Each structure stands twice: as structure tokens, then as C-alpha cells.
Amino acid sequence: DTEVTQTPKHLVMGMTNKKSLKCEQHMGHRAMYWYKQKAKKPPELMFVYSYEKLSINESVPSRFSPECPNSSLLNLHLHALQPEDSALYLCASSQFNGISNEQFFGPGTRLTVL
Amino acid sequence: DAKTTQPPSMDCAEGRAANLPCNHSTISGNEYVYWYRQIHSQGPQYIIHGLKNNETNEMASLIITEDRKSSTLILPHATLRDTAVYYCIVRVAYSGAGSYQLTFGKGTKLSVIP
């Protein structure tokens, strides 16, 4: 199984809502990533988890709260978002010390903040 | 990680070889060249990577110049399904932190024409 799954595929939320994005992989990867991609722009790294611990936070606002409850799951909790946070949110995973270190990406969650 | 320069767009006739160039003149000795592509509204997909030797897999070939300051990704027989944004990324293959975040540039939008 070389698949990264993300749910939901689409999400529309108001600025006062609380919602969560979910990412799952069963490849035994111990590094997991959240990227944000605005329209017609390249993906930008948000967070990195290594062995279920947050290792990189790219100065992301606190209204985005990541969580890695176990080695297969990665969540992104959303609260009090702004319309400019509307984007495609991508999850990825990779081996910790693999030779190719390729990242496997999920299909993304398209988020619209009203 | 070293910065890369790619043409913003290219066209290729279906069935012909697509040659996508990438300039990475500031690449360091321990940095690899990676290529990913992103088909519209999907997550990025790993294609190939290399250090200094030419590489080939079932998807593409990677030609790296002897001075390693530039490279070319070759799709030998482009199909309509190869229409995508292609990203050339330079980064170390082995990180002490164990995670391998990607820094995406603007990429090249390849359009395969029937």
C-alpha cells in the first residue's frame, strides 16, 4: 500500500468554525508533513513530524494546530480561520532514513473559508 | 537548499520526447536533484532523483551535466496524461533531522499537445 489518504476532499467552513483535516498512511513512514498550496502557486511547507514529534513549524499561525496521534495518522485542527487561508492542504509522508527519501503525497483537502 | 530556475511553461507534441531543463548553479556537493510533478488538482508525485550520474526509471530519465549546475528531465514519449507542472528541487538526501522537507519553486507547466 503506497497510498496517502486525506479526508475530507472538500471542506467549507465559516471563520468561527472548528474543523479538522485527517491524513493517514500505512507505509510505515515515520516522517509526515503538512503543506499548503494557494491557487497557481507551489506547495509551501507548514509542519513536519518525525517519529510522532513536531520537528518543524514554519512559523504557521496558531489557528492551525497539528497533531500526530500515532505513526499512521496526522491531523490538522483548524480554528478561527480567515478567508485567505482558503487553499489546498496537502499531506505527505516519507521514510525516516530511506535511500530515495521520496515523499508520497495525498490528494489534498480543498478548503474554503467563508 | 540550492535554488533552481526553470522555464515557466513548455509545449510538447504527443508521442515526442519532452525535455525539461533545470538550472541549479549553486548546488552543493552533497545535494541531489529531485523531480516531482503535479497533475492538476492532485498531490505532487515523485518522478526521479540523482546525484551526478544519469538516472533512468520507468517514468523518465534524468541527465545531469558534469559540473552539476544544470539537469534535464526527459519524458521519452509524452502522452496527454503527462500534462502537469514539473518541479525541479535540489536538496540533501540525508538529513540529520531525519525529515526531508521539500522546497518547491515555481516549476514548469508542461502542456502535451495532441
Side-chain angles (χ1 to χ4, degrees):
Chain A
D1 182 4
T2 60
E3 191 180 21
V4 175
T5 59
Q6 290 189 244
T7 54
K9 286 187 171 24
H10 300 275
L11 178 63
V12 179
M13 61 185 291
M15 290 189 285
T16 59
N17 292 157
K18 286 185 181 181
K19 297 286 185 184
S20 296
L21 309 184
K22 179 180 172 182
C23 172
E24 194 165 4
Q25 58 87 15
H26 296 285
M27 294 177 278
H29 291 168
R30 303 308 294 271
M32 297 186 76
Y33 312 77
W34 280 114
Y35 291 83
K36 173 182 177 179
Q37 185 173 26
K38 301 281 282 182
K40 300 188 186 303
K41 298 288 187 182
E44 294 180 345
L45 183 70
M46 300 175 70
F47 302 103
V48 180
Y49 273 82
S50 301
Y51 281 94
E52 297 89 69
K53 288 185 172 26
L54 183 65
S55 59
I56 294 176
N57 176 341
E58 292 286 357
S59 302
V60 179
S62 60
R63 57 185 184 268
F64 296 91
S65 176
E67 178 197 20
C68 191
N70 60 56
S71 60
S72 299
L73 282 175
L74 185 66
N75 298 321
L76 186 62
H77 303 296
L78 314 172
H79 174 53
L81 294 193
Q82 304 296 311
E84 59 264 29
D85 296 321
S86 297
L88 181 68
Y89 288 84
L90 294 160
C91 173
S93 70
S94 70
Q95 292 180 346
F96 198 77
N97 285 311
I99 295 175
S100 74
N101 300 314
E102 66 177 279
Q103 287 190 21
F104 292 80
F105 284 81
T109 293
R110 189 161 299 281
L111 174 68
T112 303
V113 182
L114 301 176
Chain B
D1 292 337
K3 185 177 176 180
T4 61
T5 303
Q6 299 177 252
S9 64
M10 293 181 64
D11 291 340
C12 177
E14 189 178 17
R16 302 297 294 269
N19 297 285
L20 293 94
C22 179
N23 187 296
H24 32 79
S25 58
T26 59
I27 192 170
S28 300
N30 64 344
E31 289 181 315
Y32 284 61
V33 181
Y34 287 78
W35 284 83
Y36 283 74
R37 73 179 183 184
Q38 187 172 22
I39 296 170
H40 182 61
S41 295
Q42 296 183 21
Q45 176 191 23
Y46 166 83
I47 300 173
I48 199 168
H49 78 286
L51 180 63
K52 55 183 178 181
N53 297 321
N54 298 337
E55 302 287 345
T56 295
N57 64 19
E58 64 279 3
M59 289 183 69
S61 295
L62 174 60
I63 308 298
I64 302 174
T65 58
E66 193 169 342
D67 63 8
R68 304 209 321 122
K69 293 185 177 181
S70 65
S71 61
T72 301
L73 178 74
I74 301 172
L75 308 178
H77 305 287
T79 71
L80 299 179
R81 289 191 299 270
D82 293 321
T83 292
V85 178
Y86 287 77
Y87 296 102
C88 170
I89 300 167
V90 172
R91 61 149 226 228
V92 293
Y94 296 97
S95 165
S99 59
Y100 305 91
Q101 62 268 27
L102 299 172
T103 301
F104 289 84
K106 296 181 180 178
T108 295
K109 180 169 171 50
L110 175 69
S111 298
V112 180
I113 313 297

